[in-house]
Amino acid sequence: MKSIMYSQTGDPGVLRLVDRDLVEPGPGEVRVRVAVSGVNPTDWKSRRGSRPGEALAFENVVPNQDGSGTVDAVGDGVDRVRVGDRVWLALAAFERAASGTAQEFTVLPAERVYPLPDAASFELGASLGVPAITAHRALTVAEDGPRRLHPGALDGKVVLVAGGAGAVGHAAIQLARWAGATVITTVSSPEKASLAAAAGAHHTVNYRDSDAVADIRRIAPKGVDQIVEVAPAQNATLNLAVIRNRGSVSVYANNGGDTMTLDVRPHFSLNIRYQFVLLYSVGQEALDAAAADITAAIMDGALPVGEQAGLPLHHFDLERTNEAHAAVESGVVGKVLIRVDRTS
């Protein structure tokens, strides 16, 4: 089988196409014939490391956490999926050398494999994983909010999604709207506003050409219940100005700076909760709950992808994985997908 691997950290040029022997699944493992591999910022950050030439945890690494495909074989003790099942994958490469989705077949723990409804495309399946589970977690950590998402779970709530044109922002808009929230999103351009609206945002606010605080307060005069935050350092002042008493800020990235300053007294007075979100350490129970709710949303048709749904798709073949990584690293708007099995 063909795989993409790297043996040292660095720019996309460290990725190379190799031939490997097919691996049999062990107990509790599943082998998936990969149809589509999804590329996320976490994938290029892992590949690049903190510096060129940094030592890897394994001699060789297959990249990419997310993907979709068909179950090809199962190991002993696996009963959650069967051979022939269509599936989507999450955290495939986490703490594993050769389970990333940038290859024709991958063997990974069964708990990282989830059923993909028949109505969903493999493109959609590969667009879930890290972005969708992160969005679910960000929407279910509020003190006064639900722990699970379903239609009606966020009725009466106002959710502010920072950076609504990104992959996590897109999923957060869709899941929040599916669950009944009024959704506001901040964007940096009219083009991104159009994408956020296509995803389902009720209101878009361009923070570069308007008074974002005033605009959000007009929409939510009592304040925002939940903020899904991609740039906490840049947005801390705005968040404080628009959040309600006992509101929560879910931080899933550090775009724009690693350090933020919070004015303690006003945060005290409003009982504000900051919740940081990292999928690698949330625990399997939270991952399974998110996957179950995401699958229900897929079945309701609530998570479409593509430009008409607010998430443009950019396709690359497996041999061009380095270009796919470079596109994500350069900040391309939309979702980067690698067509591994071109017959799917």
Side-chain angles (χ1 to χ4, degrees):
M1 66 173 183
K2 295 187 181 302
S3 298
I4 298 294
M5 281 188 158
Y6 61 98
S7 56
Q8 62 184 30
T9 57
D11 65 25
V14 302
L15 299 172
R16 66 188 192 277
L17 182 67
V18 302
D19 287 314
R20 293 201 304 127
D21 291 336
L22 200 61
V23 179
E24 295 299 321
E29 292 183 330
V30 175
R31 186 171 71 205
V32 175
R33 183 184 183 96
V34 180
V36 182
S37 176
V39 187
N40 297 298
T42 189
D43 298 316
W44 72 255
K45 290 176 182 178
S46 295
R47 183 212 73 231
R48 185 168 285 279
S50 60
R51 65 185 185 280
E54 179 184 8
L56 298 173
F58 306 98
E59 182 179 357
N60 293 289
V61 175
V62 177
N64 298 1
Q65 299 289 357
D66 299 340
S68 60
T70 305
V71 175
D72 180 71
V74 298
D76 291 341
V78 174
D79 56 11
R80 63 189 287 162
V81 292
R82 296 177 298 179
V83 172
D85 283 355
R86 303 170 76 252
V87 292
W88 59 280
L89 314 175
L91 303 182
F94 178 52
E95 294 184 335
R96 293 175 69 88
S99 291
T101 61
Q103 56 186 335
E104 292 180 316
F105 293 86
T106 181
V107 174
L108 64 167
E111 60 266 23
R112 304 185 192 183
V113 180
Y114 301 100
L116 182 65
D118 290 338
S121 68
F122 285 129
E123 289 180 328
L124 171 56
S127 301
L128 299 170
V130 169
I133 297 176
T134 296
H136 181 281
R137 180 67 176 174
L139 292 168
T140 54
V141 294
E143 182 178 2
D144 299 328
R147 291 293 175 264
R148 298 291 297 269
L149 296 182
H150 53 78
L154 292 173
D155 278 356
K157 302 290 187 181
V158 179
V159 172
L160 172 62
V161 178
V168 175
H170 175 265
I173 290 170
Q174 291 183 323
L175 287 171
R177 176 140 188 176
W178 174 65
T182 296
V183 183
I184 308 168
T185 185
T186 52
V187 294
S188 59
S189 70
E191 294 76 17
K192 290 183 178 181
S194 295
L195 293 175
H202 296 91
H203 307 276
T204 61
V205 174
N206 188 331
Y207 59 84
R208 287 185 172 170
D209 64 7
S210 69
D211 184 338
V213 170
D215 288 348
I216 294 169
R217 277 292 180 179
R218 275 194 292 270
I219 299 164
K222 294 182 179 179
V224 170
D225 296 277
Q226 181 74 16
I227 298 173
V228 180
E229 185 56 79
V230 66
Q234 293 175 318
N235 294 336
T237 300
L238 181 147
N239 291 340
L240 177 60
V242 301
I243 201 166
R244 70 158 173 85
N245 184 52
R246 292 167 63 91
S248 295
V249 182
S250 300
V251 178
Y252 69 88
N254 61 342
N255 293 4
D258 292 336
T259 303
M260 64 179 177
T261 300
L262 300 179
D263 192 339
V264 174
R265 284 187 177 274
H267 285 81
F268 268 148
S269 66
L270 289 175
N271 292 277
I272 294 171
R273 169 186 288 195
Y274 263 82
Q275 173 69 55
F276 293 85
V277 175
L278 181 66
L279 295 194
Y280 302 112
S281 54
V282 298
Q284 194 62 43
E285 183 177 355
L287 296 175
D288 287 344
D293 295 349
I294 289 164
T295 300
I298 294 170
M299 295 179 70
D300 282 349
L303 296 176
V305 295
E307 188 162 4
Q308 74 285 353
L311 190 70
L313 302 179
H314 308 277
H315 296 94
F316 296 82
D317 293 331
L318 185 63
E319 295 82 359
R320 297 172 59 206
T321 296
N322 59 334
E323 296 175 47
H325 269 234
V328 177
E329 193 165 353
S330 69
V332 66
V333 175
K335 184 67 182 181
V336 170
L337 300 175
I338 298 170
R339 292 173 293 203
V340 180
D341 183 354
R342 296 175 217 176
T343 66
S344 297

